Amino acid sequence: MKLLVLGGTWFLGKTIVEGALARGWEVTTFNRGRSAKDVPGVAPVHGDRTVVEDVEQLASHGPWNAAIDTSSSDLPPRDVLLTASLLRDQVARWVHISTVSVYAGWPHQLLTEDSALLECAADADESYGYTGDDGSPTNYGFQKAGGERAVLEAFASRAVFLRPGVILGPGEYVGRLPWWLRRAHRGGRFLAPSPATRRIQPVDVRDVAAFALDQAAGAEGPVFNVAHSDGISFEGLVTTCLEVTGGVGRPVWVEPDVLVEQGVKQWTELPLWRTHEGVWSVDASRAVAAGLRCRPLSETIRDTWIWLQNNGRPVDHPRWAEHGIAPEKEANILASL
């Protein structure tokens, strides 16, 4: 099996590469060579996927049985279209890592793979789309929907789309789970969003990677939501963070309307918390039937803490700074309760 991975040096891309090599596959990676080192054992090709000559040079290294695109998150659809169009004759099957944000109903509604998508043209530039007043839809969602359309134009039935929600685990660069772990470890009273029983559906990066590789080698498709079928309660998340870190903190469970009144930013200041009913209502049964296996999230939490304690350092990314409430703001809210 010959695999091309667009990206391949950090978090999901790196995990996919490591999994492919463990399966005995031949792996080519394509990236700019800036974020992190290439995984030993790959055939690295460095270049910018927005530059025609660089992608044409990559194409000369083909053909491949499959490609997995992990590097289109910050690209406008027109650049995804450029890459896919120039590689379509060299790649038999294209696995595209997308997002649940492409759904018009996210995060308000229960989502299946048949739910309506946001509208965005395959050749749209980075200016297309908008972010709603309540944080939905998002410009990111429009852009990713256009990216899907670009891949579909180039590969048609040879394209597979994976739509994960939140991906956690060792190597996480966004900082959601690391913040909860460090807050639990720091101790003292800390804010926690009620209801404690509400279940969330993040999925481990290693499980997403394994499923992506299965799809690269398989014949199923074309679309899969990728979310944890069992999930974990918020109380389970907080309790496990305290247990694995040895923290002596005490969560103070606060009703959502109080947190909103206090100006706590959903999704970022208390990572993974959002009041919208559909944010954790993603139906992943099709992926489960196709072989998605999700480890208990307690294992994800433990392994992420071990990674952090062993000098784990994510690739620098601006989203890291967005996550976590400032200590003084948290203290003021706790004092007002």
Side-chain angles (χ1 to χ4, degrees), residues 1-218:
M1 180 76 175
K2 297 182 66 175
L3 177 70
L4 168 65
V5 177
L6 300 177
T9 61
W10 48 289
F11 200 39
L12 178 58
K14 180 182 179 183
T15 308
I16 286 172
V17 167
E18 292 171 340
L21 292 172
R23 297 183 185 204
W25 296 3
E26 295 180 36
V27 181
T28 302
T29 56
F30 181 68
N31 54 69
R32 294 175 299 177
R34 298 177 184 175
S35 298
K37 295 180 179 180
D38 293 296
V39 176
V42 305
V45 180
H46 291 158
D48 189 329
R49 60 182 293 178
T50 68
V51 177
V52 171
E53 293 77 11
D54 288 2
V55 182
E56 288 177 336
Q57 194 267 337
L58 169 64
S60 70
H61 291 262
W64 296 275
N65 301 105
I68 302 179
D69 187 359
T70 70
S71 68
S72 66
S73 293
D74 299 322
L75 292 178
R78 66 180 181 187
D79 288 334
V80 178
L81 181 62
L82 181 152
T83 310
S85 298
L86 291 176
L87 293 176
R88 68 178 143 205
D89 293 333
Q90 297 297 320
V91 175
R93 184 171 171 84
W94 186 282
V95 179
H96 193 73
I97 307 299
S98 186
T99 170
V100 294
S101 295
V102 300
Y103 290 113
W106 190 85
H108 303 279
Q109 303 168 5
L110 169 68
L111 298 175
T112 72
E113 289 86 354
D114 297 322
S115 299
L117 303 182
L118 296 170
E119 291 292 333
C120 181
D123 59 353
D125 64 19
E126 60 277 3
S127 68
Y128 190 86
Y130 63 92
T131 297
D133 293 338
D134 70 343
S136 63
T138 61
N139 178 265
Y140 171 73
F142 281 104
Q143 294 281 307
K144 290 291 280 185
E148 283 197 14
R149 180 164 291 184
V151 171
L152 194 59
E153 283 194 10
F155 281 87
S157 62
R158 295 185 289 135
V160 182
F161 300 98
L162 307 189
R163 295 172 181 158
V166 172
I167 304 175
L168 302 178
E172 183 199 335
Y173 63 91
V174 175
R176 296 181 176 109
L177 182 52
W179 184 84
W180 279 109
L181 284 161
R182 286 171 171 156
R183 184 62 193 91
H185 183 250
R186 193 169 84 229
R189 299 167 71 232
F190 62 93
L191 293 173
S194 292
T197 56
R198 187 178 188 188
R199 300 195 75 77
I200 59 177
Q201 294 178 284
V203 63
D204 191 291
V205 62
R206 294 162 292 187
D207 300 328
V208 179
F211 187 65
L213 290 169
D214 290 345
Q215 292 310 306

Side-chain angles (χ1 to χ4, degrees), residues 258-304:
V258 175
L259 293 173
V260 171
E261 288 171 3
Q262 293 286 348
V264 177
K265 295 178 183 177
Q266 299 185 45
W267 209 233
T268 53
E269 286 193 313
L270 287 183
L272 305 174
W273 167 66
R274 199 166 184 174
T275 57
H276 302 77
E277 288 298 322
V279 67
W280 298 117
S281 298
V282 179
D283 182 358
S285 58
R286 181 185 293 179
V288 171
L292 174 65
R293 297 294 178 264
C294 295
R295 70 196 66 206
L297 282 163
S298 57
E299 181 179 331
T300 305
I301 296 168
R302 181 201 67 201
D303 290 349
T304 301

